[in-house]
């Protein structure tokens, strides 16, 4: 089943402040120096449509962010500065953050694409720095330590016939529990219960169980109904509660764990966890310094360990998760080699930095010359993820080929459609786009081939 990742990057530019960040982020994206296509197709984007069968009148806006929009004269049509890349991915400005959206694929191909996204965003930042003479820092994290949180969103293709209530019942417990194996770690707190360190950067920023919002009054279960495919056959589960990971193994693991919960919903055969207060549990698991990770259910207390274990299958990733669940309890050294929050905590324990937040930021810094995460990689302190992809035959491959080979014939490109001067072609999420497409040199022949792809 297809999945994808969208990561907003933290951005600091010398001599600039929050009031200029929307325009600055757009300029960083426009500075991307490598081949790409400009002309994103947003016809099928519907952020106010709700999976529960209605359209929200408005979306909530963070009042702190809103103060910077008063009197703004920026032309909104260009402020996203969309770029479509030869990989089939997308680079754009999202509310003052450079954002990289991977192409669609399986756990492994999306993880590799997300790693490539770090290089893309860093290249754009360095080009901007060369053009302006201003120093630039880009962070793969989820907080500015001043109360603002920006997202790492996941997307999962789900058959439309799966009831939303069934999907929510299966996925929410996993979203609460999986942070113990996928959290990025964070120094201190910005909301709720005080703590010195927590395992997730996003957990304390959620205030409702389910809604269509993403910027304010954030839900654990996002109900945006924007399938980027035939809406009679498909829906897209839009997950906004995860962290931005530096370790590729964490990225792949977080995708796998939610996919397991979705698989259980599709078959309606998974575990039954009726959480007493998911919002409270999301925060308490993140801030539990004793690593007991108790989660209250309406049937009595359980733990995040037990919740995760109940979803696992007999696969390599399932076995990996079982080993790490044991390591959380017994082998912190093993855990720190494979989970971001544990690696970050280990660095903090070894550091004498006067402000621990500087260590936190340095871990997420994309610049390999100063990144503490990269230092751990260079010194062999973290395990390199063995992420291999034989081929990605999803529609992102076809989208990327169109950008590579026929950019002069393109009018617009989107998740679902490619519009050529010669006509419009739909990209199917269940289409099998073979490597033979790369051998086609005529645009009309290419279009015919796309229209005739076999469906899985």
């Amino acid at each position: 089943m297809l999945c994808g990742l969208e990561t907003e990057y933290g951005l600091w530019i010398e001599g600039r402040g929050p009031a200029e960040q929307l325009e600055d982020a757009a300029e960083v994206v426009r500075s991307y120096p490598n081949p790409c296509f400009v002309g994103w197709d947003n016809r099928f984007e519907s952020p106010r449509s709700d999976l529960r069968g209605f359209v929200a009148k408005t979306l909530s806006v963070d009042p702190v962010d809103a103060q910077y929009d008063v009197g703004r004269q920026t032309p909104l049509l260009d402020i996203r500065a969309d770029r479509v890349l030869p990989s089939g991915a997308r680079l754009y400005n999202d509310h003052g953050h450079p954002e990289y959206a991977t192409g669609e694929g399986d756990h492994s191909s999306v993880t590799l694409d997300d790693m490539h996204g770090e290089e893309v965003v860093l290249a754009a930042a360095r080009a901007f720095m060369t053009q302006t003479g201003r120093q630039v820092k880009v962070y793969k994290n989820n907080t500015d330590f001043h109360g603002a949180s920006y997202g790492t969103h996941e997307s999962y293709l789900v058959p439309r016939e799966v009831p939303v209530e069934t999907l929510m019942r299966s996925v929410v417990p996993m979203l609460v529990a999986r942070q113990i194996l996928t959290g990025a770690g964070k120094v201190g707190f910005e909301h709720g219960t005080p703590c010195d360190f927590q395992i997730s950067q996003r957990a304390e920023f959620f205030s409702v169980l389910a809604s269509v919002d993403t910027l304010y009054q954030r839900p654990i279960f996002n109900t945006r109904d924007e399938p980027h495919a035939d809406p009679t056959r498909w829906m897209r589960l839009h997950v906004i509660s995860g962290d931005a990971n530096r370790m590729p193994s964490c990225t792949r693991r977080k995708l796998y764990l939610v996919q397991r919960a979705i698989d259980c919903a599709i078959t309606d055969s998974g575990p039954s966890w009726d959480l007493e207060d998911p919002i409270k549990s999301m925060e308490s698991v993140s801030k539990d310094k004793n690593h007991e990770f108790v989660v209250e259910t309406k049937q009595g207390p359980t733990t995040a360990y037990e919740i995760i274990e109940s979803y696992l299958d007999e696969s390599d990733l399932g076995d990996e998760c079982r080993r790490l669940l044991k390591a959380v309890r017994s082998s912190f050294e093993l855990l720190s080699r494979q989970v971001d929050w544990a690696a970050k905590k280990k660095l903090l324990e070894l550091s004498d930095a006067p402000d621990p937040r500087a260590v936190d930021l340095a871990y997420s810094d994309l610049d390999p010359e100063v990144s503490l995460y990269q230092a751990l990689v260079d010194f062999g302190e973290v395990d390199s993820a063995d992420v291999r992809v034989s081929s990605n035959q999803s529609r992102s491959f076809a989208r990327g080929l169109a950008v590579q080979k026929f950019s002069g014939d393109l009018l617009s490109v989107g998740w679902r459609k490619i519009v050529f001067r010669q006509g419009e072609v739909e990209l199917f999420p269940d289409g099998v786009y073979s490597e033979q497409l790369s051998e086609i040199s005529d645009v009309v022949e290419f279009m015919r081939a796309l229209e005739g792809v076999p469906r899985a």
Side-chain angles (χ1 to χ4, degrees):
M1 195 64 70
L2 291 186
C3 58
L5 269 176
E6 309 154 25
T7 301
E8 297 178 50
Y9 285 83
L11 181 66
W12 173 87
I13 298 177
E14 179 186 23
R16 306 288 280 178
E20 297 89 22
Q21 187 157 333
L22 189 65
E23 291 85 355
D24 285 345
E27 284 300 323
V28 168
V29 172
R30 292 189 193 105
S31 299
Y32 180 63
N34 298 324
C36 58
F37 173 75
V38 180
W40 183 253
D41 184 353
N42 60 8
R43 284 178 295 163
F44 300 101
E45 296 181 11
S46 51
R48 292 187 292 112
S49 295
D50 196 293
L51 285 170
R52 295 168 292 184
F54 59 88
V55 177
K57 291 183 179 179
T58 60
L59 296 176
S60 298
V61 178
D62 189 324
V64 176
D65 291 341
Q67 66 180 314
Y68 298 114
D69 293 330
V70 176
R72 187 185 297 278
Q73 299 299 316
T74 303
L76 295 180
L77 289 178
D78 186 49
I79 198 62
R80 294 183 75 85
D82 270 294
R83 266 66 181 154
V84 190
L85 306 184
S87 64
R90 179 186 176 199
L91 176 67
Y92 54 103
N93 163 40
D94 192 5
H95 301 283
H97 299 271
E99 179 159 343
Y100 181 88
T102 69
E104 309 90 325
D106 61 14
H107 311 136
S108 294
S109 66
V110 168
T111 298
L112 284 177
D113 198 347
D114 183 64
M115 294 167 67
H116 177 59
E118 297 178 9
E119 299 173 5
V120 167
V121 175
L122 184 59
R126 285 175 167 171
F128 176 85
M129 190 160 49
T130 298
Q131 294 168 14
T132 64
R134 296 180 183 273
Q135 292 296 308
V136 179
K137 286 285 187 182
V138 186
Y139 302 102
K140 194 180 185 185
N141 67 353
N142 301 105
T143 177
D144 64 357
F145 292 105
H146 295 287
S149 179
Y150 32 96
T152 300
H153 297 179
E154 303 151 50
S155 295
Y156 302 88
L157 189 70
V158 183
R160 178 62 70 169
E161 62 264 22
V162 178
V164 175
E165 296 78 11
T166 302
L167 190 62
M168 185 184 303
R169 185 170 62 248
S170 185
V171 170
V172 166
M174 178 59 81
L175 296 181
V176 170
R178 69 168 179 169
Q179 56 187 308
I180 71 174
L181 298 185
T182 63
K186 177 182 176 180
V187 170
F189 72 102
E190 293 172 84
H191 296 282
T193 305
C195 65
D196 294 325
F197 181 84
Q198 55 182 307
I199 66 175
S200 169
Q201 295 213 335
R202 287 281 274 177
E204 63 182 355
F205 286 95
F206 296 95
S207 56
V208 297
L209 175 59
S211 90
V212 73
D213 288 308
T214 60
L215 300 177
Y216 193 62
Q217 299 295 328
R218 294 181 181 93
I220 293 176
F221 186 90
N222 187 255
T223 54
R224 178 182 294 183
D225 190 7
E226 198 175 52
H228 301 318
D230 180 352
T232 65
R233 295 192 60 203
W234 305 105
M235 59 180 164
R236 176 178 64 116
L237 177 60
H238 186 229
V239 173
I240 70 170
S241 57
D243 287 359
N245 293 110
R246 294 305 313 270
M247 290 190 189
S249 59
C250 270
T251 299
R252 183 174 56 181
R253 193 179 307 127
K254 74 182 176 187
L255 295 169
Y256 159 77
L257 288 171
V258 172
Q259 188 65 67
R260 283 297 305 139
I262 293 171
D263 290 343
C264 290
I266 291 173
T267 59
D268 200 15
S269 61
S272 178
W273 300 103
D274 192 1
L275 304 193
E276 186 71 43
D277 189 339
I279 300 161
K280 180 180 178 180
S281 294
M282 192 85 175
E283 181 182 353
S284 65
V285 167
S286 179
K287 296 180 177 180
D288 183 358
K289 65 181 180 180
N290 296 319
H291 299 171
E292 295 174 351
F293 304 128
V294 173
V295 177
E296 296 293 337
T297 77
K298 293 181 180 178
Q299 294 75 38
T302 185
T303 66
Y305 301 106
E306 293 172 327
I307 291 174
I308 294 173
E309 176 70 35
S310 69
Y311 286 90
L312 300 179
D313 60 5
E314 299 301 322
S315 65
D316 289 344
L317 280 169
D319 291 343
E320 174 185 290
C321 289
R322 292 186 185 92
R323 289 194 299 271
L324 291 176
L325 287 173
K326 293 179 181 178
V328 178
R329 300 180 177 100
S330 61
S331 179
F332 193 79
E333 184 65 31
L334 171 62
L335 194 71
S336 68
R337 298 187 65 87
Q338 299 188 44
V339 179
D340 278 308
W341 71 261
K344 187 179 291 183
K345 188 174 183 181
K346 181 179 178 180
L347 278 173
L348 288 163
E349 291 171 350
L350 296 173
S351 170
D352 59 356
D355 186 352
R357 290 176 300 180
V359 175
D360 197 331
L361 279 173
Y363 185 90
S364 62
D365 197 322
L366 285 193
D367 185 348
E369 297 298 319
V370 297
S371 168
L372 287 180
Y373 167 72
Q374 187 60 48
L376 291 177
V377 173
D378 294 342
F379 284 102
E381 293 295 318
V382 298
D383 293 339
S384 59
D386 185 19
V387 183
R388 300 177 184 176
V389 179
S390 56
S391 65
N392 181 7
Q393 295 185 314
S394 77
R395 63 185 185 179
S396 66
F397 174 64
R399 188 184 306 113
L401 279 179
V403 172
Q404 292 174 42
K405 297 170 67 73
F406 306 109
S407 59
D409 292 291
L410 290 176
L411 296 179
S412 67
V413 178
W415 298 122
R416 181 178 175 183
K417 301 268 190 176
I418 302 177
V419 182
F420 298 90
R421 298 183 188 279
Q422 296 83 355
E424 181 175 283
V425 177
E426 181 158 4
L427 298 178
F428 301 104
D430 56 347
V432 180
Y433 296 87
S434 75
E435 294 184 4
Q436 292 179 339
L437 288 170
S438 61
E439 300 172 6
I440 300 174
S441 57
D442 178 76
V443 65
V444 174
E445 184 183 352
F446 184 72
M447 292 170 62
R448 291 196 186 112
L450 295 184
E451 291 168 346
V453 297
R455 311 280 282 278

